[in-house]
Amino acid sequence: MSFEPVWGAPIAWYLFLAGLGGGAFIASAFLRFKHPEAEGMRFAGHIIAPAVVIVGLFLLMFDAEAGLHNPLRFALLLHNPLSVMTWGVVFLAAFVLIALVALLLDCLKKRVPAWLEIAGVVFAVCVGAYTGALLGVCRTFPLWNNALLPVLFLVSAVSTGMSSVLLVGALKFPEEFDEAGVLKKFHYVFPIVEIVLVASLCFITSYNSVAGAQSVASLVCGSWAPVFWIGFIVVGLAAPSAVETWLLFIAKPAFEETPPAHYIGAAADAGVLIGGFLLRFLIVMAAVPVPLT
């Protein structure tokens, strides 16, 4: 059985960028409280957060052709308080506003108030979870209509956001990167949790319906299997986890502060970003709908 996907690559990019922006803001806030000396990396997080979310929103408008031709129709999204889309608009608007204010204060060399940072983190978490809930409302797609999906997308959002900030730190602010040990160890856990959540999602989905089993089969042994195993599992999760395990727990401390170690760490963080996008892309593209009767 073949079918045309409901959504395509632009939506996958939107889901990825929205989560990435929220995760970058969370990483920046984490640095403020755990590594206040890492001002360059924190500023990078404040730049990434609103920038990628705004780009993602433009991709959403481009994909939703009616809204592209008549942007005022997006205002209709606010009329139904029981809609996931309505709450998504609220979360995104509030987050972008907070992120832009934080960035402006940084540019003006003024301290971002702690309450604003905390509010940004709250809305960043809401945005990360919303990207999974947005797909979950499509009940005819078992791969999407799963309570684990918002949790998985939130974990991936924090992981990719932290990776983006660490990537900038490794390449542009190596001294701050070397001192951000707590952030590195905190980030180390997320790919491992992500592997467990992906395995759980596939296991549950494969047993809840025929369409769910077909979706999982297309991922693990079907047409999307090479991208899933090589792109997502190996490049996006296993390889970065192996590299970070070596750098954090096996390599000599003197090596960790050398340029080669920085480049290796940057490559691992780039792999996490690739995996974050491929996760959304595969979830969007591999979903098989329940046949209508």
Side-chain angles (χ1 to χ4, degrees):
M1 180 178 65
S2 62
F3 68 98
E4 288 294 325
V6 175
W7 284 323
I11 290 298
W13 276 109
Y14 160 67
L15 296 174
F16 168 66
L17 293 174
L20 171 62
F25 194 94
I26 292 173
S28 183
F30 187 93
L31 287 170
R32 171 186 177 144
F33 294 106
K34 286 295 183 179
H35 301 286
E37 71 283 354
E39 295 182 357
M41 292 174 62
R42 184 167 56 83
F43 182 56
H46 281 166
I47 294 175
I48 295 170
V52 296
V53 173
I54 291 172
V55 171
L57 289 173
F58 275 107
L59 288 174
L60 177 63
M61 291 183 65
F62 177 80
D63 190 72
E65 292 186 7
L68 180 65
H69 299 152
N70 184 10
L72 292 178
R73 293 186 64 178
F74 277 103
L76 296 176
L77 293 174
L78 296 173
H79 84 291
N80 184 6
L82 300 180
S83 169
V84 173
M85 291 287 287
T86 297
W87 282 105
V89 171
V90 172
F91 294 151
L92 286 166
F95 173 73
V96 170
L97 178 61
I98 292 172
L100 287 174
V101 171
L103 176 59
L104 177 62
L105 291 174
D106 266 350
C107 291
L108 295 175
K109 306 298 182 182
K110 295 184 178 180
R111 183 174 177 81
V112 180
W115 66 266
L116 186 66
E117 203 96 57
I118 294 172
V121 170
V122 171
F123 280 104
V125 170
C126 292
V127 167
Y130 152 73
T131 57
L134 175 64
L135 296 180
V137 298
C138 300
R139 298 186 179 184
T140 55
F141 289 81
L143 187 61
W144 298 349
N145 187 231
N146 191 305
L148 282 178
L149 195 60
V151 180
L152 172 60
F153 276 19
L154 175 58
V155 170
S156 178
V158 178
S159 179
T160 54
M162 289 186 171
S163 286
S164 67
V165 174
L166 287 169
L167 176 60
V168 174
L171 298 178
K172 295 295 184 181
F173 307 103
E175 293 182 359
E176 296 180 5
F177 179 80
D178 292 335
E179 297 298 324
V182 179
L183 177 63
K184 294 177 188 176
K185 292 179 180 178
F186 189 63
H187 172 257
Y188 172 77
V189 177
F190 284 90
I192 299 173
V193 175
E194 198 171 336
I195 291 175
V196 175
L197 289 174
V198 169
S200 302
L201 177 70
C202 290
F203 180 81
I204 293 172
T205 303
S206 64
Y207 282 95
N208 66 8
S209 66
V210 174
Q214 291 174 336
S215 300
V216 174
S218 69
L219 283 175
V220 301
C221 58
S223 58
W224 294 108
V227 180
F228 177 79
W229 289 108
I230 299 175
F232 174 59
I233 296 296
V234 175
V235 176
L237 294 178
S241 294
V243 169
E244 291 182 3
T245 299
W246 176 59
L247 288 175
L248 288 174
F249 305 109
I250 300 175
K252 296 180 179 180
F255 176 75
E256 293 181 29
E257 299 182 0
T258 62
H262 296 157
Y263 294 138
I264 293 172
D269 290 319
V272 173
L273 293 175
I274 293 171
F277 168 71
L278 289 179
L279 171 64
R280 277 84 172 170
F281 179 78
L282 290 168
I283 292 293
V284 169
M285 302 301 294
V288 176
V290 175
L292 296 178
T293 58

